[in-house]
Amino acid sequence: MSTKTRSKAPAYRCAECGWSTAKWVGRCGECQAWGTVEEATPVAARTTAAAAVSRPAERIADVDATNAAFRATGVEELDRVLGGGLVPGAVILLAGEPGIGKSTLLLDVAARVARQDRDVLYVTGEESAAQVKLRAERISAVADNLYLTAETDLGIALGHVEQLQPSLLIVDSVQTLSSSAVEGAAGGVTQVREVAASLINAAKTKGMTTILVGHVTKDGSIAGPRLLEHLVDVVCQFDGDRHSRLRLVRAVKNRYGPTDEVGCFDLTEAGIEGLTDPSGLFVSRTKDPVSGTCITVTLEGRRPLVAEVQALLAETSNAQPRRATSGLDSSRVAMMMAVLQRRASMSLHKDDSYVATVGGVRLGEPATDLATVLAIASAKTNQPLPAQLIAFGEVGLAGEVRPVPGIGRRIQEAERLGFTHAIVPASPDGTGQVPAGFTVKEVHTVSEALSTLFR
C-alpha cells in the first residue's frame, strides 16, 4: 500500500496590507491593490538575546526636548498645519495630484528656510536642475544656502546628505528614487519601502527635517505601500481644483500637532502665497441681489470659510430633466431637491437644474445643505434672498434641519465680513454669544425656513 505525501501549499501575502492567501492572485482581496501579492517565505521562529545597554533609560522629566522645538518655515499657513513649524528629525510626507503646486510650495519653503542661515538640500528626480532654477527665479526662491541636485539614485542622494549635512532635506519625489540594493523599478512597492526607510533613518540619525513628496492614485489616496504613511511623522494632503487658484493643505496625520487645521494658499504665475482670509475668493460681487444665490459658512478644520452656492433652474420639455453640479456632491444636491418636492410641495420635475459654488471651492460638509435648499428655492420662485443673509444647517430626508458643530464660530465669521442675518438650525446648546446688531433665526424644518423668506 503506497501513500502519497501532499506538498504544503505556498502562502502568499500582500506587500501593502499583509493579507494572506493559499494561492497567488493578481489582486489583493483586502486592499484591492493590483500586483502586490507575493510569495511569503517561511521565517523560522527565533528569539533575540538581551544586549548590553550603552545608554541607560532616562526619566521622562529629565529628557531634554529643546532640540525638538518647532522652527518656523516663514510660511504661516504651512506652520499652522504642521503645528508650529518644522521639528528637527521629523519626516513629513506631502501628497497631491500632479501639477497641483507641491513643488512650487516646497521650493518657496526651501528658500525661506535657507535665508535663516540654515543649509537646505533639494533633491529632484522629476526635473533637471535648470528647470528647477527657472521656477525658483520666477517665484523669487533663490537663496545662497539652498543647494540643488537632480538625482534618482538613493546612494548618491545619501552621499550628498553626508557631504552637506543639511538641516532640511526635500525629496521630490520619493517615487523617483531607487536603490541598487533591492530589485524592482523606481516607484514600485519594494523600492519605495527601501527608499523611505533609508531616508527616515538618515533623518532620525542626523536630526535633519525631511520632506518627502508623494504621488496620489486616481481615487486620491497616497500611492505606494501603506507602510510609508505609518513610518513618517506627518502626512499632509495638498488639494485643489486645477481651474481654481485656491489650494488647501490638510494634515491627515501629525505626531507633533493637531490634524484639524487647514492651510489656504493662492497659486498664481508669480508663485504661491498664504491666504489668511480666503473667504473673499468664494463670494461673488454683485451690485444687486440675484435670485438663486445663498451664502453659507463652512468649516475647513477649525477655520470657518464663507462661500456662496448658486442655483439656476430652466424649464425643459425633456422627459428626464438634467441635473448638473459643480463643487457640490451631486447625490447630496439630488437629495435636497427631493426634499423640496416632497416636504415643501415645490415642483421641480420639469426643470433642468444647475447648482454650483463660486471660485471653484468644493463644499462637502453637510452644513451646506440648507444653503443649497434656499438657493434652489430662490431660483424656482425668482425671489432673491437678502444680501446680508447667511444660512447653514444639515437637512434630513424628513425635512428637518439638524444642528451642526461650530454655530457660534460661523456666526462670528459672518459678522466679521459684514453679514447681519443668519438662518441656523435650532440647537439644544444654543448659538453662543451673538454679536450686537446680528439677527439669528433658528429653524427646525425646511418648511419653516422657506416660510420665513418666501411669503
Side-chain angles (χ1 to χ4, degrees):
M1 182 177 180
S2 62
T3 60
K4 295 182 178 181
T5 59
R6 179 178 296 179
S7 60
K8 186 178 180 181
Y12 295 86
R13 188 181 302 275
C14 176
E16 291 200 23
C17 66
W19 176 76
S20 59
T21 178
K23 60 180 181 179
W24 183 87
V25 290
R27 188 177 189 180
C28 174
E30 181 68 24
C31 65
Q32 303 300 315
W34 288 95
T36 59
V37 179
E38 304 171 348
E39 184 174 356
T41 56
V43 179
R46 54 187 178 183
T47 58
T48 302
V53 177
S54 58
R55 183 178 180 181
E58 299 179 72
R59 292 187 179 92
I60 189 171
D62 299 334
V63 175
D64 184 11
T66 56
N67 293 331
F70 287 104
R71 297 179 181 177
T73 63
V75 182
E76 294 183 3
E77 291 298 301
L78 182 61
D79 291 341
R80 174 202 297 266
V81 177
L82 296 177
L86 301 176
V87 176
V91 181
I92 303 167
L93 175 63
L94 179 65
E97 296 181 356
I100 206 69
K102 303 184 299 297
S103 301
T104 303
L105 173 62
L106 292 182
L107 191 58
D108 182 45
V109 170
R112 291 175 183 269
V113 173
R115 295 188 185 110
Q116 302 173 10
D117 292 331
R118 295 157 58 189
D119 290 338
V120 179
L121 176 61
Y122 192 105
V123 179
T124 175
E126 299 181 345
E127 300 174 284
S128 65
Q131 290 174 321
V132 178
K133 172 69 180 301
L134 290 177
R135 186 193 303 116
E137 291 178 342
R138 177 171 56 86
I139 65 175
S140 301
V142 179
D144 292 338
N145 291 337
L146 174 57
Y147 297 85
L148 175 66
T149 178
E151 189 56 61
T152 58
D153 185 88
L154 175 62
I156 298 178
L158 292 176
H160 284 291
V161 172
E162 289 290 339
Q163 181 180 8
L164 186 61
Q165 297 291 326
S167 61
L168 173 61
L169 169 67
I170 298 177
V171 178
D172 187 9
S173 66
V174 68
Q175 277 89 358
T176 59
L177 287 182
S178 61
S179 172
S180 58
V182 296
E183 297 180 355
V189 175
T190 306
Q191 284 288 351
V192 170
R193 184 187 293 112
E194 175 65 20
V195 170
S198 300
L199 293 175
I200 292 172
N201 179 67
K204 302 301 181 183
T205 303
K206 303 177 182 301
M208 169 186 63
T209 306
T210 302
I211 302 179
L212 308 177
V213 176
H215 296 166
V216 296
T217 59
K218 291 181 179 180
D219 60 356
S221 60
I222 301 175
R226 300 289 297 186
L227 180 65
L228 180 60
E229 299 179 49
H230 295 297
L231 289 176
V232 299
D233 302 306
V234 182
V235 179
C236 293
Q237 195 79 28
F238 203 60
D239 299 324
D241 193 313
R242 286 179 174 269
H243 306 289
S244 172
R245 293 164 49 186
L246 177 70
R247 298 293 184 267
L248 300 177
V249 177
R250 297 180 176 87
V252 182
K253 170 189 175 182
N254 193 350
R255 289 175 178 168
Y256 309 110
T259 57
D260 55 356
E261 285 286 5
V262 176
C264 298
F265 296 89
D266 185 15
L267 182 64
T268 63
E269 294 182 357
I272 189 167
E273 297 180 359
L275 290 175
T276 57
D277 188 11
S279 295
L281 294 176
F282 315 134
V283 179
S284 62
R285 305 296 182 182
T286 56
K287 183 177 180 181
D288 300 318
V290 180
S291 62
T293 64
C294 185
I295 310 296
T296 187
V297 183
T298 181
L299 286 182
E300 288 287 352
R302 297 182 183 179
R303 170 178 290 184
L305 296 179
V306 175
E308 181 176 336
V309 179
Q310 295 184 341
L312 176 64
L313 300 182
E315 189 173 348
T316 179
S317 58
N318 297 330
Q320 185 69 29
R322 185 177 182 183
R323 302 285 187 251
T325 61
S326 176
L328 295 162
D329 184 26
S330 57
S331 59
R332 197 80 189 178
V333 174
M335 290 167 57
M336 296 304 102
M337 298 187 68
V339 169
L340 281 173
Q341 292 186 106
R342 183 68 177 86
R343 307 300 178 186
S345 301
M346 187 171 291
S347 178
L348 301 173
H349 63 281
K350 293 184 179 180
D351 296 322
D352 290 336
S353 66
Y354 305 88
V355 185
T357 58
V358 173
V361 64
R362 293 198 58 84
L363 302 179
E365 191 187 16
T368 60
D369 289 349
L370 186 57
T372 303
V373 167
L374 295 181
I376 296 173
S378 173
K380 180 63 179 178
T381 59
N382 199 28
Q383 298 183 40
L385 298 174
Q388 305 302 320
L389 173 75
I390 65 163
F392 54 85
E394 181 182 357
V395 176
L397 294 180
E400 79 278 13
V401 181
R402 301 171 182 168
V404 293
I407 293 179
R409 199 184 318 163
R410 299 172 198 258
I411 293 176
Q412 294 285 344
E413 177 69 9
E415 190 272 338
R416 186 182 69 84
L417 295 176
F419 294 91
T420 58
H421 293 74
I423 297 181
V424 304
S427 173
D429 299 331
T431 59
Q433 186 177 0
V434 179
F438 198 95
T439 304
V440 176
K441 171 64 176 178
E442 296 186 355
V443 296
H444 296 82
T445 63
V446 169
S447 299
E448 185 180 352
L450 295 178
S451 62
T452 303
L453 298 171
F454 308 104
R455 302 181 185 275

